[in-house]
Amino acid sequence: MLVAAAVCPCPPLLVPAVAAGATSELDEARTACSDALGVLAASRPDRLVVVGPGGEGEPVWFPAGSGGSFAGYGVDLTVRLGDGPGGERPLPAPLAVAGWLLEHTDWADAPIEGLAVGESLEAARCAGTGRELAASAERVALLVMGDGSACRTVKAPGYLDERAEPFDAAVGRALGAADPEALLALDAERARELRAAGRAPWQVLAGAAEGADLAGRLLYEDAPYGVGYFVAAWS
């Protein structure tokens, strides 16, 4: 069953080597991520799964030890999802960011696996995947990577959309309250229009959390660069 979850944003700029001169702009977010990961470690899970956006079709698994690189951002830096044989498929950027966060956390010995879910995956399928994860071990923890809308300002990647702020506000309330039903109510088409990459991963979390009776804390909420970022801890 699900015993804890951490929700973090997934911009590569969270990695200081990628952010370079802009590192300090996300210091508060990094600190909040570290606090959320501390909640995961304290839960002492038997299994940790990192869930993040990636691909368009069915969910894609990345075994323990899978590696990713930030070479595409001009940085000679590689990360791995804990110890294990890994696989041939490289981690998508959101899971690589998670790998970097985990490498900078005093983590337990639980195996770490990755799961990429596509933007088009419908809510029911996301929730079903989450339920399967929760039932896969006695103590399951999730690190859920995903961003909110990318349309909060005129300089945002998706330009300004007046629907973005209320969408993100609903996400923040749901994450802070550990409310699976509210996360499952997020509209996939609206999320796509607002370029909210976290919708599918959050709905996987919602499925995993059904019946778990977890309490939530919203540790960070802001929209630097016009993109909604959230950090939350459920335990």
Side-chain angles (χ1 to χ4, degrees):
M1 67 175 294
L2 185 70
V3 295
V7 176
C8 296
C10 57
L13 288 174
L14 270 181
V15 179
V18 176
T23 296
S24 62
E25 296 176 7
L26 289 179
D27 278 349
E28 187 179 351
R30 290 187 196 93
T31 298
C33 289
S34 179
D35 292 343
L37 290 176
V39 172
L40 285 190
S43 72
R44 305 186 70 83
D46 303 316
R47 185 186 191 196
L48 170 64
V49 179
V50 179
V51 183
E56 288 297 330
E58 288 296 299
V60 178
W61 279 99
F62 295 84
S66 292
S69 169
F70 293 96
Y73 300 93
V75 176
D76 183 16
L77 175 65
T78 59
V79 297
R80 302 185 72 83
L81 290 182
D83 297 325
E88 296 182 359
R89 184 185 292 112
L91 295 172
L95 298 190
V97 173
W100 181 87
L101 290 172
L102 288 165
E103 287 183 356
H104 291 77
T105 301
D106 185 14
W107 188 247
D109 295 328
I112 304 170
E113 301 162 81
L115 179 66
V117 290
E119 178 185 33
S120 62
L121 201 66
E122 65 275 13
R125 183 74 174 87
C126 291
T129 299
R131 294 186 196 102
E132 292 171 5
L133 288 176
S136 67
E138 185 174 346
R139 298 182 64 81
V140 176
L142 298 182
L143 171 52
V144 183
M145 310 297 291
D147 300 338
S149 70
C151 303
R152 292 284 293 272
T153 68
V154 294
K155 293 184 178 180
Y159 197 67
L160 176 65
D161 190 315
E162 293 181 355
R163 302 171 299 172
E165 188 169 352
F167 178 91
D168 285 347
V171 172
R173 288 192 299 271
L175 293 176
D179 187 342
E181 291 185 3
L183 290 178
L184 287 174
L186 295 174
D187 183 77
E189 181 60 22
R190 177 64 54 85
R192 185 192 65 77
E193 293 170 352
L194 297 176
R195 302 174 67 170
R199 190 275 308 173
W202 297 331
Q203 291 183 333
V204 171
L205 168 61
E210 289 179 0
D213 193 27
L214 301 179
R217 286 185 296 147
L218 188 62
L219 304 178
Y220 175 87
E221 180 180 10
D222 204 353
Y225 318 117
V227 181
Y229 295 156
F230 309 91
V231 180
W234 294 15
S235 62

